[in-house]
Amino acid sequence: LSKTGAVLNLAKRRKSIRVFKSVAIDLEDVYYAINVALQAPSGANTQPWRFIIIIDNKIKHEIRRRCEESEKRLHENIKVEWFRKWLSDRGITWRKPFLSDAPVLIAVLSRKDVYYSKESTWLAIGYLLLALEERGLSSLTYTPSDKRCVSEVLRIPSEKYSLECVIPVGIAGAEKIKEPRLTLDDVTFFNMYGIKKP
Ligand SMILES: Cc1cc2nc3c(=O)[nH]c(=O)nc-3n(C[C@H](O)[C@H](O)[C@H](O)COP(=O)(O)O)c2cc1C
C-alpha cells in the first residue's frame, strides 16, 4: 500500500502518552484542537460535546487524588489475567501522575438529552486527538473509573451532562513505541462479512 497523506501520517504518529513533562503549553493550540473537534459530525447536528479546559493546579491535583482513590479499588479487583498482564506490561497502575503533571487537562462532556450524544462526542474526541498531534502535543483518553467524583470537582450539572473522559495534554516525558495495529486486510471485507478482497 503506497498511498499516504497528512491525516494518515498524523494518525500513525499519535500515541497514548502517560508520562508528561511539567512544562507549560500554548493554550492557543488547545483552542485550535477544540475548534477542529467541533467540526465533527453529530446526530442531527446537535453538537452535544462540551469541553472544560483545566489549568488550575489545585483542581488537577484534586482530580488526581480522587481518581487514584477509585483506581486503587479497581486495580485490586481486576480478575481477567490477560488484562492484568496488558496493564503491567505497560506500567499502568492505579497511579495517575499524568493528571497533575500535564499542564492542561481537557474534560469532555456529552449532553444527556439528545440521541447519539456519546457517538457524536467520541467522534469529536478523535478529531481533537489528531489536531493536538498536529500541534506536537501528546494526549491520553483517560476514562476515570468513578466519573461522579470527577464531575463533582468540575461542578458538571449531572442532570444535563455526562463526563466522557479527561484528556491530559502536554509534552511527552518519555519515548514510547506505537501499539501494534491490525492490518487493512485484517479488518476489511467486501460486499459481505467474511469475504476477502477479490
Ligand atoms: C474509549 C477509550 C478509553 C480509554 N481509557 C483509558 C484509560 O482509562 N486509561 C488509559 O491509560 N488509557 C486509556 N485509553 C487508551 C488506550 O489504552 C489506547 O488508546 C490503546 O491502548 C491504543 O494505544 P494508542 O492510543 O497509543 O495507539 C482509552 C482509549 C479509548 C479509546
Side-chain angles (χ1 to χ4, degrees):
L1 202 77
S2 61
K3 289 247 167 75
T4 189
V7 178
L8 180 60
N9 286 335
L10 280 177
K12 282 187 165 176
R13 209 170 78 192
R14 188 213 56 80
K15 300 167 195 160
S16 289
I17 293 298
R18 298 181 179 87
V19 182
F20 288 86
K21 291 186 180 160
S22 297
V23 295
I25 59 169
D26 192 345
L27 269 190
E28 285 304 318
D29 290 332
V30 174
Y31 290 130
Y32 170 80
I34 294 175
N35 203 7
V36 171
L38 60 85
Q39 310 305 322
S42 60
N45 198 25
T46 46
Q47 304 171 63
W49 41 71
R50 297 292 183 271
F51 304 89
I52 304 178
I53 302 167
I54 304 157
I55 50 174
D56 184 298
N57 275 325
K58 270 205 211 109
I59 297 178
K60 288 195 289 173
H61 274 96
E62 182 59 15
I63 291 172
R64 176 177 173 183
R65 192 186 66 75
R66 289 177 177 228
C67 286
E68 288 187 334
E69 209 174 279
S70 64
E71 294 276 354
K72 239 184 216 167
R73 286 194 300 273
L74 183 85
H75 278 257
E76 277 162 12
N77 284 307
I78 297 169
K79 300 274 185 289
V80 184
E81 200 43 51
W82 75 262
F83 189 44
R84 290 186 78 88
K85 183 171 186 318
W86 190 90
L87 292 170
S88 84
D89 285 350
R90 284 156 188 81
I92 303 174
T93 69
W94 58 268
R95 289 193 177 82
K96 304 297 167 193
F98 50 77
L99 292 174
S100 55
D101 291 348
V104 174
L105 305 178
I106 306 175
V108 185
L109 327 182
S110 66
R111 272 174 66 176
K112 281 187 169 174
D113 61 339
V114 297
Y115 292 124
Y116 300 118
S117 179
K118 283 187 187 289
E119 292 86 339
S120 305
T121 300
W122 279 93
L123 266 173
I125 292 168
Y127 279 40
L128 181 80
L129 300 184
L130 280 189
L132 290 169
E133 185 65 47
E134 189 190 9
R135 291 296 170 109
L137 293 172
S138 293
S139 64
L140 172 69
T141 40
Y142 172 61
T143 39
S145 52
D146 181 354
K147 296 201 171 120
R148 202 174 38 101
C149 71
V150 180
S151 300
E152 271 172 19
V153 182
L154 301 175
R155 300 194 189 158
I156 296 170
S158 60
E159 65 292 354
K160 288 201 182 111
Y161 296 99
S162 337
L163 175 67
E164 297 298 336
C165 62
V166 176
I167 304 177
V169 181
I171 307 299
E175 290 287 315
K176 189 181 169 245
I177 54 158
K178 176 89 178 176
E179 291 285 345
R181 289 307 196 258
L182 298 172
T183 65
L184 257 182
D185 189 55
D186 289 333
V187 300
T188 313
F189 303 118
F190 281 82
N191 298 319
M192 282 184 197
Y193 177 83
I195 310 283
K196 298 310 261 183
K197 199 170 176 181

